[in-house]
Amino acid sequence: MPDRPFTLVESLIELTRVLRAAFESRVEKHGLTYSRARLLTTIGRNEGASQAQLAALLGIETPTLKRLLDALEAQGLTERRPMPEDRRKHAIYLTEAARIEPLLGFRAEVDVALAHGIAPQDLAVTRRTLAQMALNAERLRQG
Amino acid sequence: MPDRPFTLVESLIELTRVLRAAFESRVEKHGLTYSRARLLTTIGRNEGASQAQLAALLGIETPTLKRLLDALEAQGLTERRPMPEDRRKHAIYLTEAARIEPLLGFRAEVDVALAHGIAPQDLAVTRRTLAQMALNAERLRQG
DNA sequence: CGCTGTTTATTAGCTAGCTAATGAATTGTC
DNA sequence: GACAATTCATTAGCTAGCTAATAAACAGCG
């Protein structure tokens, strides 16, 4: 449906939009969104990290992270604990509720579904190409 | 910086974010954003189209389009004209100001910069892979 | 003609990204 | 030890996507 002919940028943005919608239709029954699920799994693999560390791991800014974390905390899935050695920081942990919920496998599942019908070597090429484009975009930003 | 190992979904989302930032740093001196520039060029190639038609061309929803269009109109770049044959619709046109501004070439320029250092056959593979992934995502959404 | 259903644009309200600015706590320097 | 600079989390406010609900206009059908 989108404006043709596609440029690469167009198809990227289009795909991201469809992707997000697909993912969210999968996890919404758990009260999650794509971004929150991503944060949740990242916390699970890095328990005790500070908010700044989590934001860096996710590649987002700290105000964005704060909003996502507030939502997870309101759902009772995570908690902030004080850090005695630095009273500015919070150490972020999963609660028991988060461990019980079958939430952590979703992302891998989506990745598998997404790669369906694509040759492994094509996936490798795509991965490499996307990485190069990210570099080009970074350069474009400065230059 | 982001959470590794990258899944494909991760790198896609990451790239889209960097891309948008790169583009916006390029067009911000004209008071535009990526989305507005995209709408502007689409209007230029489809003058007289209705809002619903433009939204379909861009692959976005009509409320999203409305907000973007309001912004362009406030900048004096586009205008809504009544359609006598259907008083619900508006025909969208560029103003003379939009024609004078060198705004319409930006997207192609970004696409060229993005493809720098990537072999043509790799670009072709990537294009094909992204299209297949969009199909897979669509199926995931329903199933 | 009248009524029913559909389409168009709009409004309202949600998520999620960003930057800028702020206050509290820590670190570094003289 | 005191002051300056930095870091951490937060707040405020911007853009841009979405869905749901609404009013106005149109289309079709009895």
Side-chain angles (χ1 to χ4, degrees), chain B residues 60-96:
Chain B
I60 61 179
E61 300 303 316
T62 56
T64 302
L65 183 124
K66 188 237 181 245
R67 198 176 337 105
L68 295 175
L69 188 59
D70 285 348
L72 289 181
E73 204 167 293
Q75 289 181 270
L77 296 172
T78 63
E79 59 177 341
R80 283 175 242 228
R81 297 185 198 161
M83 273 185 169
E85 73 274 20
D86 189 335
R87 302 211 316 273
R88 293 170 303 180
K89 296 187 186 178
H90 302 147
I92 312 300
Y93 288 90
L94 296 184
T95 62
E96 288 314 306

PDB file of all heavy atoms in Angstrom, chain B residues 60-96:
ATOM      1  N   ILE B  60      -0.019   5.031   6.578  1.00  0.00           N
ATOM      2  CA  ILE B  60      -0.324   5.463   7.940  1.00  0.00           C
ATOM      3  C   ILE B  60      -1.836   5.667   8.076  1.00  0.00           C
ATOM      4  O   ILE B  60      -2.569   5.607   7.086  1.00  0.00           O
ATOM      5  CB  ILE B  60       0.425   6.762   8.312  1.00  0.00           C
ATOM      6  CG1 ILE B  60       0.013   7.898   7.370  1.00  0.00           C
ATOM      7  CG2 ILE B  60       1.918   6.542   8.271  1.00  0.00           C
ATOM      8  CD1 ILE B  60       0.672   9.221   7.682  1.00  0.00           C
ATOM      9  N   GLU B  61      -2.291   5.920   9.273  1.00  0.00           N
ATOM     10  CA  GLU B  61      -3.718   6.099   9.518  1.00  0.00           C
ATOM     11  C   GLU B  61      -4.092   7.567   9.340  1.00  0.00           C
ATOM     12  O   GLU B  61      -3.251   8.452   9.464  1.00  0.00           O
ATOM     13  CB  GLU B  61      -4.075   5.617  10.923  1.00  0.00           C
ATOM     14  CG  GLU B  61      -3.764   4.159  11.160  1.00  0.00           C
ATOM     15  CD  GLU B  61      -4.466   3.240  10.166  1.00  0.00           C
ATOM     16  OE1 GLU B  61      -5.668   3.464   9.895  1.00  0.00           O
ATOM     17  OE2 GLU B  61      -3.817   2.305   9.657  1.00  0.00           O
ATOM     18  N   THR B  62      -5.377   7.797   9.114  1.00  0.00           N
ATOM     19  CA  THR B  62      -5.799   9.161   8.821  1.00  0.00           C
ATOM     20  C   THR B  62      -5.604  10.144   9.982  1.00  0.00           C
ATOM     21  O   THR B  62      -5.282  11.308   9.721  1.00  0.00           O
ATOM     22  CB  THR B  62      -7.254   9.204   8.324  1.00  0.00           C
ATOM     23  OG1 THR B  62      -8.099   8.579   9.284  1.00  0.00           O
ATOM     24  CG2 THR B  62      -7.391   8.483   6.994  1.00  0.00           C
ATOM     25  N   PRO B  63      -5.755   9.742  11.220  1.00  0.00           N
ATOM     26  CA  PRO B  63      -5.469  10.723  12.275  1.00  0.00           C
ATOM     27  C   PRO B  63      -4.000  11.138  12.297  1.00  0.00           C
ATOM     28  O   PRO B  63      -3.687  12.314  12.539  1.00  0.00           O
ATOM     29  CB  PRO B  63      -5.846   9.984  13.563  1.00  0.00           C
ATOM     30  CG  PRO B  63      -6.826   8.966  13.142  1.00  0.00           C
ATOM     31  CD  PRO B  63      -6.360   8.512  11.792  1.00  0.00           C
ATOM     32  N   THR B  64      -3.106  10.185  12.048  1.00  0.00           N
ATOM     33  CA  THR B  64      -1.685  10.520  11.976  1.00  0.00           C
ATOM     34  C   THR B  64      -1.435  11.488  10.831  1.00  0.00           C
ATOM     35  O   THR B  64      -0.732  12.496  10.994  1.00  0.00           O
ATOM     36  CB  THR B  64      -0.855   9.242  11.766  1.00  0.00           C
ATOM     37  OG1 THR B  64      -1.118   8.341  12.836  1.00  0.00           O
ATOM     38  CG2 THR B  64       0.624   9.552  11.724  1.00  0.00           C
ATOM     39  N   LEU B  65      -2.041  11.213   9.696  1.00  0.00           N
ATOM     40  CA  LEU B  65      -1.881  12.104   8.553  1.00  0.00           C
ATOM     41  C   LEU B  65      -2.403  13.496   8.854  1.00  0.00           C
ATOM     42  O   LEU B  65      -1.780  14.495   8.510  1.00  0.00           O
ATOM     43  CB  LEU B  65      -2.598  11.555   7.330  1.00  0.00           C
ATOM     44  CG  LEU B  65      -2.370  12.454   6.110  1.00  0.00           C
ATOM     45  CD1 LEU B  65      -1.783  11.678   4.977  1.00  0.00           C
ATOM     46  CD2 LEU B  65      -3.608  13.192   5.707  1.00  0.00           C
ATOM     47  N   LYS B  66      -3.528  13.556   9.491  1.00  0.00           N
ATOM     48  CA  LYS B  66      -4.127  14.853   9.799  1.00  0.00           C
ATOM     49  C   LYS B  66      -3.162  15.735  10.593  1.00  0.00           C
ATOM     50  O   LYS B  66      -3.006  16.921  10.314  1.00  0.00           O
ATOM     51  CB  LYS B  66      -5.411  14.637  10.590  1.00  0.00           C
ATOM     52  CG  LYS B  66      -6.216  15.900  10.804  1.00  0.00           C
ATOM     53  CD  LYS B  66      -6.448  16.178  12.263  1.00  0.00           C
ATOM     54  CE  LYS B  66      -7.285  17.424  12.436  1.00  0.00           C
ATOM     55  NZ  LYS B  66      -6.552  18.502  13.103  1.00  0.00           N
ATOM     56  N   ARG B  67      -2.507  15.145  11.591  1.00  0.00           N
ATOM     57  CA  ARG B  67      -1.611  15.942  12.416  1.00  0.00           C
ATOM     58  C   ARG B  67      -0.423  16.461  11.607  1.00  0.00           C
ATOM     59  O   ARG B  67      -0.038  17.621  11.702  1.00  0.00           O
ATOM     60  CB  ARG B  67      -1.142  15.144  13.634  1.00  0.00           C
ATOM     61  CG  ARG B  67      -0.607  16.047  14.684  1.00  0.00           C
ATOM     62  CD  ARG B  67      -0.183  15.419  16.011  1.00  0.00           C
ATOM     63  NE  ARG B  67      -0.768  14.163  16.352  1.00  0.00           N
ATOM     64  CZ  ARG B  67      -0.122  13.010  16.284  1.00  0.00           C
ATOM     65  NH1 ARG B  67       1.116  12.972  15.832  1.00  0.00           N
ATOM     66  NH2 ARG B  67      -0.702  11.915  16.665  1.00  0.00           N
ATOM     67  N   LEU B  68       0.147  15.580  10.773  1.00  0.00           N
ATOM     68  CA  LEU B  68       1.263  15.994   9.926  1.00  0.00           C
ATOM     69  C   LEU B  68       0.833  17.098   8.972  1.00  0.00           C
ATOM     70  O   LEU B  68       1.550  18.082   8.769  1.00  0.00           O
ATOM     71  CB  LEU B  68       1.778  14.789   9.125  1.00  0.00           C
ATOM     72  CG  LEU B  68       2.401  13.654   9.935  1.00  0.00           C
ATOM     73  CD1 LEU B  68       2.734  12.490   9.017  1.00  0.00           C
ATOM     74  CD2 LEU B  68       3.641  14.128  10.660  1.00  0.00           C
ATOM     75  N   LEU B  69      -0.343  16.926   8.394  1.00  0.00           N
ATOM     76  CA  LEU B  69      -0.833  17.896   7.419  1.00  0.00           C
ATOM     77  C   LEU B  69      -1.091  19.254   8.078  1.00  0.00           C
ATOM     78  O   LEU B  69      -0.782  20.302   7.508  1.00  0.00           O
ATOM     79  CB  LEU B  69      -2.109  17.361   6.772  1.00  0.00           C
ATOM     80  CG  LEU B  69      -2.652  18.157   5.593  1.00  0.00           C
ATOM     81  CD1 LEU B  69      -1.625  18.253   4.482  1.00  0.00           C
ATOM     82  CD2 LEU B  69      -3.947  17.534   5.084  1.00  0.00           C
ATOM     83  N   ASP B  70      -1.632  19.225   9.278  1.00  0.00           N
ATOM     84  CA  ASP B  70      -1.845  20.472  10.020  1.00  0.00           C
ATOM     85  C   ASP B  70      -0.520  21.220  10.183  1.00  0.00           C
ATOM     86  O   ASP B  70      -0.468  22.446  10.040  1.00  0.00           O
ATOM     87  CB  ASP B  70      -2.432  20.178  11.403  1.00  0.00           C
ATOM     88  CG  ASP B  70      -3.910  19.800  11.335  1.00  0.00           C
ATOM     89  OD1 ASP B  70      -4.520  19.984  10.267  1.00  0.00           O
ATOM     90  OD2 ASP B  70      -4.448  19.316  12.344  1.00  0.00           O
ATOM     91  N   ALA B  71       0.546  20.476  10.473  1.00  0.00           N
ATOM     92  CA  ALA B  71       1.849  21.107  10.679  1.00  0.00           C
ATOM     93  C   ALA B  71       2.355  21.729   9.381  1.00  0.00           C
ATOM     94  O   ALA B  71       2.832  22.877   9.381  1.00  0.00           O
ATOM     95  CB  ALA B  71       2.848  20.084  11.212  1.00  0.00           C
ATOM     96  N   LEU B  72       2.260  20.997   8.277  1.00  0.00           N
ATOM     97  CA  LEU B  72       2.711  21.540   6.993  1.00  0.00           C
ATOM     98  C   LEU B  72       1.901  22.777   6.617  1.00  0.00           C
ATOM     99  O   LEU B  72       2.442  23.749   6.092  1.00  0.00           O
ATOM    100  CB  LEU B  72       2.592  20.484   5.885  1.00  0.00           C
ATOM    101  CG  LEU B  72       3.581  19.307   5.944  1.00  0.00           C
ATOM    102  CD1 LEU B  72       3.353  18.376   4.766  1.00  0.00           C
ATOM    103  CD2 LEU B  72       5.015  19.800   5.959  1.00  0.00           C
ATOM    104  N   GLU B  73       0.621  22.714   6.897  1.00  0.00           N
ATOM    105  CA  GLU B  73      -0.242  23.835   6.557  1.00  0.00           C
ATOM    106  C   GLU B  73       0.121  25.060   7.403  1.00  0.00           C
ATOM    107  O   GLU B  73       0.155  26.184   6.897  1.00  0.00           O
ATOM    108  CB  GLU B  73      -1.703  23.430   6.774  1.00  0.00           C
ATOM    109  CG  GLU B  73      -2.680  24.239   5.935  1.00  0.00           C
ATOM    110  CD  GLU B  73      -4.067  23.616   5.923  1.00  0.00           C
ATOM    111  OE1 GLU B  73      -4.216  22.521   5.354  1.00  0.00           O
ATOM    112  OE2 GLU B  73      -4.999  24.231   6.490  1.00  0.00           O
ATOM    113  N   ALA B  74       0.415  24.832   8.675  1.00  0.00           N
ATOM    114  CA  ALA B  74       0.815  25.935   9.555  1.00  0.00           C
ATOM    115  C   ALA B  74       2.116  26.574   9.080  1.00  0.00           C
ATOM    116  O   ALA B  74       2.349  27.763   9.298  1.00  0.00           O
ATOM    117  CB  ALA B  74       0.968  25.421  10.991  1.00  0.00           C
ATOM    118  N   GLN B  75       2.958  25.782   8.426  1.00  0.00           N
ATOM    119  CA  GLN B  75       4.203  26.322   7.877  1.00  0.00           C
ATOM    120  C   GLN B  75       3.995  26.958   6.509  1.00  0.00           C
ATOM    121  O   GLN B  75       4.949  27.440   5.887  1.00  0.00           O
ATOM    122  CB  GLN B  75       5.245  25.206   7.746  1.00  0.00           C
ATOM    123  CG  GLN B  75       5.775  24.722   9.073  1.00  0.00           C
ATOM    124  CD  GLN B  75       6.818  23.639   8.885  1.00  0.00           C
ATOM    125  OE1 GLN B  75       6.489  22.465   8.842  1.00  0.00           O
ATOM    126  NE2 GLN B  75       8.084  24.027   8.750  1.00  0.00           N
ATOM    127  N   GLY B  76       2.771  26.920   6.008  1.00  0.00           N
ATOM    128  CA  GLY B  76       2.479  27.542   4.728  1.00  0.00           C
ATOM    129  C   GLY B  76       2.959  26.753   3.527  1.00  0.00           C
ATOM    130  O   GLY B  76       3.128  27.308   2.442  1.00  0.00           O
ATOM    131  N   LEU B  77       3.174  25.449   3.706  1.00  0.00           N
ATOM    132  CA  LEU B  77       3.708  24.651   2.602  1.00  0.00           C
ATOM    133  C   LEU B  77       2.618  23.925   1.810  1.00  0.00           C
ATOM    134  O   LEU B  77       2.852  23.539   0.665  1.00  0.00           O
ATOM    135  CB  LEU B  77       4.720  23.632   3.140  1.00  0.00           C
ATOM    136  CG  LEU B  77       5.979  24.233   3.775  1.00  0.00           C
ATOM    137  CD1 LEU B  77       6.811  23.155   4.449  1.00  0.00           C
ATOM    138  CD2 LEU B  77       6.806  24.967   2.718  1.00  0.00           C
ATOM    139  N   THR B  78       1.481  23.707   2.440  1.00  0.00           N
ATOM    140  CA  THR B  78       0.387  23.005   1.749  1.00  0.00           C
ATOM    141  C   THR B  78      -0.929  23.710   2.034  1.00  0.00           C
ATOM    142  O   THR B  78      -1.023  24.543   2.934  1.00  0.00           O
ATOM    143  CB  THR B  78       0.268  21.542   2.237  1.00  0.00           C
ATOM    144  OG1 THR B  78      -0.065  21.537   3.625  1.00  0.00           O
ATOM    145  CG2 THR B  78       1.557  20.785   2.015  1.00  0.00           C
ATOM    146  N   GLU B  79      -1.941  23.343   1.263  1.00  0.00           N
ATOM    147  CA  GLU B  79      -3.268  23.889   1.541  1.00  0.00           C
ATOM    148  C   GLU B  79      -4.347  22.850   1.221  1.00  0.00           C
ATOM    149  O   GLU B  79      -4.174  21.990   0.368  1.00  0.00           O
ATOM    150  CB  GLU B  79      -3.514  25.164   0.726  1.00  0.00           C
ATOM    151  CG  GLU B  79      -3.417  24.961  -0.766  1.00  0.00           C
ATOM    152  CD  GLU B  79      -3.744  26.239  -1.540  1.00  0.00           C
ATOM    153  OE1 GLU B  79      -4.371  27.142  -0.947  1.00  0.00           O
ATOM    154  OE2 GLU B  79      -3.387  26.323  -2.727  1.00  0.00           O
ATOM    155  N   ARG B  80      -5.445  22.960   1.948  1.00  0.00           N
ATOM    156  CA  ARG B  80      -6.631  22.141   1.711  1.00  0.00           C
ATOM    157  C   ARG B  80      -7.600  22.951   0.865  1.00  0.00           C
ATOM    158  O   ARG B  80      -7.916  24.081   1.220  1.00  0.00           O
ATOM    159  CB  ARG B  80      -7.299  21.789   3.036  1.00  0.00           C
ATOM    160  CG  ARG B  80      -6.620  20.680   3.830  1.00  0.00           C
ATOM    161  CD  ARG B  80      -7.281  20.464   5.189  1.00  0.00           C
ATOM    162  NE  ARG B  80      -6.299  20.733   6.245  1.00  0.00           N
ATOM    163  CZ  ARG B  80      -6.072  19.917   7.280  1.00  0.00           C
ATOM    164  NH1 ARG B  80      -6.777  18.830   7.437  1.00  0.00           N
ATOM    165  NH2 ARG B  80      -5.155  20.212   8.175  1.00  0.00           N
ATOM    166  N   ARG B  81      -8.086  22.353  -0.207  1.00  0.00           N
ATOM    167  CA  ARG B  81      -9.111  23.031  -0.988  1.00  0.00           C
ATOM    168  C   ARG B  81     -10.372  22.190  -0.971  1.00  0.00           C
ATOM    169  O   ARG B  81     -10.300  20.960  -0.993  1.00  0.00           O
ATOM    170  CB  ARG B  81      -8.653  23.196  -2.444  1.00  0.00           C
ATOM    171  CG  ARG B  81      -7.421  24.062  -2.607  1.00  0.00           C
ATOM    172  CD  ARG B  81      -7.114  24.283  -4.081  1.00  0.00           C
ATOM    173  NE  ARG B  81      -5.747  24.726  -4.282  1.00  0.00           N
ATOM    174  CZ  ARG B  81      -5.095  24.640  -5.451  1.00  0.00           C
ATOM    175  NH1 ARG B  81      -5.713  24.110  -6.504  1.00  0.00           N
ATOM    176  NH2 ARG B  81      -3.851  25.069  -5.571  1.00  0.00           N
ATOM    177  N   PRO B  82     -11.523  22.833  -0.918  1.00  0.00           N
ATOM    178  CA  PRO B  82     -12.782  22.066  -0.903  1.00  0.00           C
ATOM    179  C   PRO B  82     -12.976  21.321  -2.224  1.00  0.00           C
ATOM    180  O   PRO B  82     -12.512  21.753  -3.272  1.00  0.00           O
ATOM    181  CB  PRO B  82     -13.851  23.149  -0.723  1.00  0.00           C
ATOM    182  CG  PRO B  82     -13.200  24.411  -1.156  1.00  0.00           C
ATOM    183  CD  PRO B  82     -11.742  24.278  -0.858  1.00  0.00           C
ATOM    184  N   MET B  83     -13.653  20.181  -2.124  1.00  0.00           N
ATOM    185  CA  MET B  83     -13.991  19.401  -3.313  1.00  0.00           C
ATOM    186  C   MET B  83     -15.488  19.535  -3.547  1.00  0.00           C
ATOM    187  O   MET B  83     -16.285  19.019  -2.762  1.00  0.00           O
ATOM    188  CB  MET B  83     -13.649  17.937  -3.088  1.00  0.00           C
ATOM    189  CG  MET B  83     -12.228  17.550  -3.430  1.00  0.00           C
ATOM    190  SD  MET B  83     -12.055  15.749  -3.250  1.00  0.00           S
ATOM    191  CE  MET B  83     -10.442  15.487  -4.004  1.00  0.00           C
ATOM    192  N   PRO B  84     -15.879  20.195  -4.621  1.00  0.00           N
ATOM    193  CA  PRO B  84     -17.304  20.458  -4.843  1.00  0.00           C
ATOM    194  C   PRO B  84     -18.119  19.169  -4.968  1.00  0.00           C
ATOM    195  O   PRO B  84     -19.253  19.109  -4.481  1.00  0.00           O
ATOM    196  CB  PRO B  84     -17.320  21.239  -6.163  1.00  0.00           C
ATOM    197  CG  PRO B  84     -15.916  21.714  -6.364  1.00  0.00           C
ATOM    198  CD  PRO B  84     -15.034  20.703  -5.700  1.00  0.00           C
ATOM    199  N   GLU B  85     -17.535  18.156  -5.567  1.00  0.00           N
ATOM    200  CA  GLU B  85     -18.316  16.944  -5.818  1.00  0.00           C
ATOM    201  C   GLU B  85     -18.490  16.071  -4.582  1.00  0.00           C
ATOM    202  O   GLU B  85     -19.303  15.143  -4.593  1.00  0.00           O
ATOM    203  CB  GLU B  85     -17.695  16.138  -6.975  1.00  0.00           C
ATOM    204  CG  GLU B  85     -16.398  15.429  -6.630  1.00  0.00           C
ATOM    205  CD  GLU B  85     -15.188  16.334  -6.807  1.00  0.00           C
ATOM    206  OE1 GLU B  85     -15.365  17.574  -6.816  1.00  0.00           O
ATOM    207  OE2 GLU B  85     -14.071  15.808  -6.911  1.00  0.00           O
ATOM    208  N   ASP B  86     -17.733  16.354  -3.519  1.00  0.00           N
ATOM    209  CA  ASP B  86     -17.903  15.601  -2.276  1.00  0.00           C
ATOM    210  C   ASP B  86     -17.462  16.499  -1.130  1.00  0.00           C
ATOM    211  O   ASP B  86     -16.275  16.678  -0.888  1.00  0.00           O
ATOM    212  CB  ASP B  86     -17.084  14.306  -2.307  1.00  0.00           C
ATOM    213  CG  ASP B  86     -17.416  13.411  -1.114  1.00  0.00           C
ATOM    214  OD1 ASP B  86     -17.864  13.933  -0.074  1.00  0.00           O
ATOM    215  OD2 ASP B  86     -17.235  12.181  -1.217  1.00  0.00           O
ATOM    216  N   ARG B  87     -18.426  17.053  -0.431  1.00  0.00           N
ATOM    217  CA  ARG B  87     -18.104  18.101   0.531  1.00  0.00           C
ATOM    218  C   ARG B  87     -17.452  17.568   1.804  1.00  0.00           C
ATOM    219  O   ARG B  87     -17.047  18.348   2.665  1.00  0.00           O
ATOM    220  CB  ARG B  87     -19.371  18.905   0.874  1.00  0.00           C
ATOM    221  CG  ARG B  87     -20.006  19.531  -0.371  1.00  0.00           C
ATOM    222  CD  ARG B  87     -20.724  20.839  -0.092  1.00  0.00           C
ATOM    223  NE  ARG B  87     -21.540  20.802   1.120  1.00  0.00           N
ATOM    224  CZ  ARG B  87     -22.806  20.380   1.150  1.00  0.00           C
ATOM    225  NH1 ARG B  87     -23.397  19.933   0.061  1.00  0.00           N
ATOM    226  NH2 ARG B  87     -23.477  20.384   2.281  1.00  0.00           N
ATOM    227  N   ARG B  88     -17.333  16.225   1.926  1.00  0.00           N
ATOM    228  CA  ARG B  88     -16.564  15.683   3.044  1.00  0.00           C
ATOM    229  C   ARG B  88     -15.070  15.804   2.783  1.00  0.00           C
ATOM    230  O   ARG B  88     -14.261  15.920   3.705  1.00  0.00           O
ATOM    231  CB  ARG B  88     -16.881  14.192   3.239  1.00  0.00           C
ATOM    232  CG  ARG B  88     -18.282  13.913   3.693  1.00  0.00           C
ATOM    233  CD  ARG B  88     -18.556  12.431   3.619  1.00  0.00           C
ATOM    234  NE  ARG B  88     -18.328  11.915   2.260  1.00  0.00           N
ATOM    235  CZ  ARG B  88     -18.491  10.650   1.898  1.00  0.00           C
ATOM    236  NH1 ARG B  88     -18.851   9.745   2.793  1.00  0.00           N
ATOM    237  NH2 ARG B  88     -18.290  10.284   0.665  1.00  0.00           N
ATOM    238  N   LYS B  89     -14.678  15.728   1.525  1.00  0.00           N
ATOM    239  CA  LYS B  89     -13.255  15.599   1.180  1.00  0.00           C
ATOM    240  C   LYS B  89     -12.559  16.941   1.031  1.00  0.00           C
ATOM    241  O   LYS B  89     -13.186  17.967   0.762  1.00  0.00           O
ATOM    242  CB  LYS B  89     -13.116  14.838  -0.141  1.00  0.00           C
ATOM    243  CG  LYS B  89     -13.594  13.410  -0.094  1.00  0.00           C
ATOM    244  CD  LYS B  89     -13.248  12.723  -1.407  1.00  0.00           C
ATOM    245  CE  LYS B  89     -13.829  11.318  -1.482  1.00  0.00           C
ATOM    246  NZ  LYS B  89     -13.542  10.678  -2.769  1.00  0.00           N
ATOM    247  N   HIS B  90     -11.229  16.888   1.222  1.00  0.00           N
ATOM    248  CA  HIS B  90     -10.368  18.016   0.896  1.00  0.00           C
ATOM    249  C   HIS B  90      -9.372  17.566  -0.165  1.00  0.00           C
ATOM    250  O   HIS B  90      -8.839  16.459  -0.085  1.00  0.00           O
ATOM    251  CB  HIS B  90      -9.589  18.485   2.124  1.00  0.00           C
ATOM    252  CG  HIS B  90     -10.449  18.890   3.265  1.00  0.00           C
ATOM    253  ND1 HIS B  90     -10.071  18.714   4.582  1.00  0.00           N
ATOM    254  CD2 HIS B  90     -11.672  19.457   3.307  1.00  0.00           C
ATOM    255  CE1 HIS B  90     -11.026  19.168   5.377  1.00  0.00           C
ATOM    256  NE2 HIS B  90     -12.006  19.620   4.624  1.00  0.00           N
ATOM    257  N   ALA B  91      -9.124  18.445  -1.129  1.00  0.00           N
ATOM    258  CA  ALA B  91      -8.054  18.192  -2.096  1.00  0.00           C
ATOM    259  C   ALA B  91      -6.809  18.905  -1.592  1.00  0.00           C
ATOM    260  O   ALA B  91      -6.849  20.093  -1.283  1.00  0.00           O
ATOM    261  CB  ALA B  91      -8.463  18.700  -3.473  1.00  0.00           C
ATOM    262  N   ILE B  92      -5.699  18.177  -1.494  1.00  0.00           N
ATOM    263  CA  ILE B  92      -4.480  18.719  -0.896  1.00  0.00           C
ATOM    264  C   ILE B  92      -3.517  19.165  -1.995  1.00  0.00           C
ATOM    265  O   ILE B  92      -3.264  18.418  -2.945  1.00  0.00           O
ATOM    266  CB  ILE B  92      -3.802  17.664  -0.003  1.00  0.00           C
ATOM    267  CG1 ILE B  92      -4.823  17.010   0.931  1.00  0.00           C
ATOM    268  CG2 ILE B  92      -2.650  18.285   0.769  1.00  0.00           C
ATOM    269  CD1 ILE B  92      -5.519  17.964   1.859  1.00  0.00           C
ATOM    270  N   TYR B  93      -2.985  20.368  -1.841  1.00  0.00           N
ATOM    271  CA  TYR B  93      -2.050  20.927  -2.827  1.00  0.00           C
ATOM    272  C   TYR B  93      -0.838  21.536  -2.140  1.00  0.00           C
ATOM    273  O   TYR B  93      -0.918  21.988  -0.997  1.00  0.00           O
ATOM    274  CB  TYR B  93      -2.734  22.015  -3.652  1.00  0.00           C
ATOM    275  CG  TYR B  93      -3.745  21.484  -4.633  1.00  0.00           C
ATOM    276  CD1 TYR B  93      -5.079  21.322  -4.257  1.00  0.00           C
ATOM    277  CD2 TYR B  93      -3.371  21.119  -5.915  1.00  0.00           C
ATOM    278  CE1 TYR B  93      -6.015  20.812  -5.135  1.00  0.00           C
ATOM    279  CE2 TYR B  93      -4.301  20.614  -6.820  1.00  0.00           C
ATOM    280  CZ  TYR B  93      -5.619  20.459  -6.424  1.00  0.00           C
ATOM    281  OH  TYR B  93      -6.530  19.948  -7.307  1.00  0.00           O
ATOM    282  N   LEU B  94       0.286  21.556  -2.850  1.00  0.00           N
ATOM    283  CA  LEU B  94       1.445  22.332  -2.415  1.00  0.00           C
ATOM    284  C   LEU B  94       1.168  23.804  -2.668  1.00  0.00           C
ATOM    285  O   LEU B  94       0.451  24.159  -3.602  1.00  0.00           O
ATOM    286  CB  LEU B  94       2.689  21.916  -3.213  1.00  0.00           C
ATOM    287  CG  LEU B  94       3.202  20.492  -3.059  1.00  0.00           C
ATOM    288  CD1 LEU B  94       4.492  20.315  -3.857  1.00  0.00           C
ATOM    289  CD2 LEU B  94       3.443  20.137  -1.599  1.00  0.00           C
ATOM    290  N   THR B  95       1.762  24.650  -1.838  1.00  0.00           N
ATOM    291  CA  THR B  95       1.734  26.088  -2.116  1.00  0.00           C
ATOM    292  C   THR B  95       2.973  26.443  -2.924  1.00  0.00           C
ATOM    293  O   THR B  95       3.877  25.619  -3.101  1.00  0.00           O
ATOM    294  CB  THR B  95       1.743  26.892  -0.809  1.00  0.00           C
ATOM    295  OG1 THR B  95       2.959  26.606  -0.119  1.00  0.00           O
ATOM    296  CG2 THR B  95       0.565  26.527   0.058  1.00  0.00           C
ATOM    297  N   GLU B  96       3.020  27.682  -3.380  1.00  0.00           N
ATOM    298  CA  GLU B  96       4.202  28.128  -4.137  1.00  0.00           C
ATOM    299  C   GLU B  96       5.456  28.069  -3.268  1.00  0.00           C
ATOM    300  O   GLU B  96       6.541  27.733  -3.741  1.00  0.00           O
ATOM    301  CB  GLU B  96       3.985  29.543  -4.674  1.00  0.00           C
ATOM    302  CG  GLU B  96       2.988  29.608  -5.822  1.00  0.00           C
ATOM    303  CD  GLU B  96       3.231  28.531  -6.873  1.00  0.00           C
ATOM    304  OE1 GLU B  96       4.372  28.442  -7.370  1.00  0.00           O
ATOM    305  OE2 GLU B  96       2.296  27.752  -7.164  1.00  0.00           O
TER     306      GLU B  96
END
